[in-house]
Amino acid sequence: MSEDGTIREVALMVNGVRVGLPQWRGRAESDVDTLRAEITDWVTSTALRDLVECFGQRWPTGDIGAVLTGLEEISARHWDFRRGRERAAAVPTEFSVEVTARVVAAAAALGLRHRDLPDGRAYDHVLIHGGLLRGCLARAGHAAGLLDGSIDSPEVCGLGSFRPLTAPERAMAVEWALGECGDEFDAMDIAVRASFPDAVRGGDSGAMVADRPQDSCRTREYRTPGGTRIRVLAAPSSDPGRRANTADTCTFWAESVGRLGPGQRVLLVTTEHFVPFQHADAIRVLGIPYGCAVETIGVDPAGMMNGRPGPALTAAHYLQEVRSAIRSMRLLVAGL
């Protein structure tokens, strides 16, 4: 049997039923009980249990908080290929065909694959998560495509930080004639301008604190001919020892909007394997504090761009982001 055939066969043997991601609909405080139950369903799913078993580990015991703590410890031993580094610097790791198949099947069941379309048609805000240059371009392009007929929203914002671009990102910017691009804010700004070419630039605000990008912030505004307000921002970090993360950028955005509240709907656009962890973070820092409904979708990074496919996700990519999701779910449960 070919390797692809083996992967398909093993994937069919693993739980192929998609586990619903925890939702926050922003209707009432009673949603907390529903949210806790949905988190429990995701955490204790057959798919996640199979991953733990696949790596020869015992399932943690105790309540949902204790199980998440145990899963985080397991993931630190077996699924952390970053070891404190940026994702782009994670150690490449390969697995057997059978393990790869089980990981891919679990990733699909847990919501890390094929989640590129939203459930609704009208959103008060569309947020585009930052990341590597190619990721910014893909996510902004996907958001623009949805806004061109599939969904409606009066406001769009690209979220980012002052993370310096890597050498491959800078080389891509030069090769694709994208203009000056030094950090993630520049990358998101380029992506927004490329995806919304008719938008007219407005003003800038914020400032860079010399030698302390983690304390800096910046916002740039655009407006489309149809009246859509588009912003690009780089957020300060809540931890002086690192750059701004997903929670920091979402929090900074919410504080800058000034009118986020119950009854509003927020759609977040990211890359597909980041959906569970960034969705959990969004519920924790946006949905619960502000009472708004949040939904998260993700694009396939292997899609074509400039006539070239992007990098395909590996088992190590999925495992790393299952770990991220476990950590974000643990923080969410602790906050409940």
Side-chain angles (χ1 to χ4, degrees):
M1 179 182 294
S2 69
E3 180 171 314
D4 286 346
T6 303
I7 289 177
R8 284 196 295 270
E9 180 179 299
V10 176
L12 290 172
M13 292 189 293
V14 180
N15 176 35
V17 178
R18 185 184 294 272
V19 183
L21 283 177
Q23 300 298 309
W24 182 258
R25 301 159 187 86
R27 289 196 300 265
E29 290 186 4
S30 61
D31 277 358
V32 170
D33 292 334
T34 301
L35 177 62
R36 188 188 301 274
E38 291 176 347
I39 293 171
T40 301
D41 289 343
W42 188 91
V43 171
T44 61
S45 64
T46 302
L48 194 47
R49 288 177 182 274
D50 185 74
L51 277 185
V52 171
E53 178 185 326
C54 183
F55 284 81
Q57 300 297 295
R58 292 186 176 181
W59 187 256
T61 59
D63 62 15
I64 187 62
V67 170
L68 280 164
T69 298
L71 290 173
E72 184 172 350
E73 293 171 352
I74 290 171
S75 71
R77 292 195 299 271
H78 298 282
W79 307 336
D80 185 9
F81 312 107
R82 293 175 60 183
R83 300 297 178 186
R85 298 180 289 265
E86 294 284 350
R87 283 180 169 82
V91 178
T93 306
E94 295 185 357
F95 299 94
S96 70
V97 172
E98 180 177 351
V99 169
T100 297
R102 293 173 72 172
V103 170
V104 171
L110 292 168
L112 283 75
R113 305 186 71 206
H114 312 309
R115 301 192 68 94
D116 59 339
L117 297 177
D119 293 331
R121 281 195 53 86
Y123 297 88
D124 298 281
H125 307 276
V126 174
L127 305 184
I128 305 167
H129 279 297
L132 297 178
L133 174 58
R134 187 183 178 104
C136 290
L137 291 165
R139 297 167 193 172
H142 188 61
L146 291 173
L147 287 161
D148 189 23
S150 298
I151 65 172
D152 296 313
S153 180
E155 297 206 9
V156 177
C157 188
L159 309 179
S161 70
F162 291 107
R163 175 189 63 82
L165 264 60
T166 63
E169 288 177 281
R170 293 194 298 271
M172 178 183 292
V174 172
E175 181 182 356
W176 291 5
L178 297 176
E180 184 176 350
C181 196
D183 56 32
E184 190 177 296
F185 177 89
D186 295 332
M188 181 57 75
D189 187 59
I190 285 172
V192 163
R193 287 189 281 112
S195 302
F196 300 90
D198 295 333
V200 177
R201 180 171 168 176
D204 283 33
S205 61
M208 174 70 76
V209 179
D211 300 323
R212 297 208 317 274
Q214 67 272 22
D215 295 332
S216 306
C217 63
R218 189 177 184 185
T219 302
R220 178 171 293 162
E221 295 205 17
Y222 296 89
R223 184 80 63 168
T224 69
T228 302
R229 182 192 186 203
I230 303 175
R231 293 191 299 154
V232 179
L233 63 80
S237 174
S238 59
D239 182 345
R242 58 162 173 78
R243 65 171 177 84
N245 60 18
T246 296
D248 292 333
T249 57
C250 286
T251 299
F252 182 68
W253 168 78
E255 292 171 348
S256 71
V257 169
R259 58 185 182 279
L260 187 64
Q264 295 197 355
R265 301 184 68 185
V266 180
L267 177 67
L268 298 97
V269 182
T270 185
T271 301
E272 60 181 10
H273 59 316
F274 299 147
V275 166
F277 103 77
Q278 293 189 324
H279 183 65
D281 283 347
I283 293 174
R284 178 169 57 87
V285 303
L286 297 179
I288 294 176
Y290 293 93
C292 59
V294 296
E295 183 180 345
T296 309
I297 60 172
V299 300
D300 180 357
M304 298 293 290
M305 190 178 298
N306 276 7
R308 303 178 188 177
L313 294 173
T314 67
H317 287 126
Y318 289 125
L319 290 169
Q320 184 73 60
E321 300 318 321
V322 169
R323 168 170 162 75
S324 297
I326 289 168
R327 300 178 74 189
S328 292
M329 297 281 185
R330 185 180 64 79
L331 290 173
L332 178 55
V333 167
L336 296 179

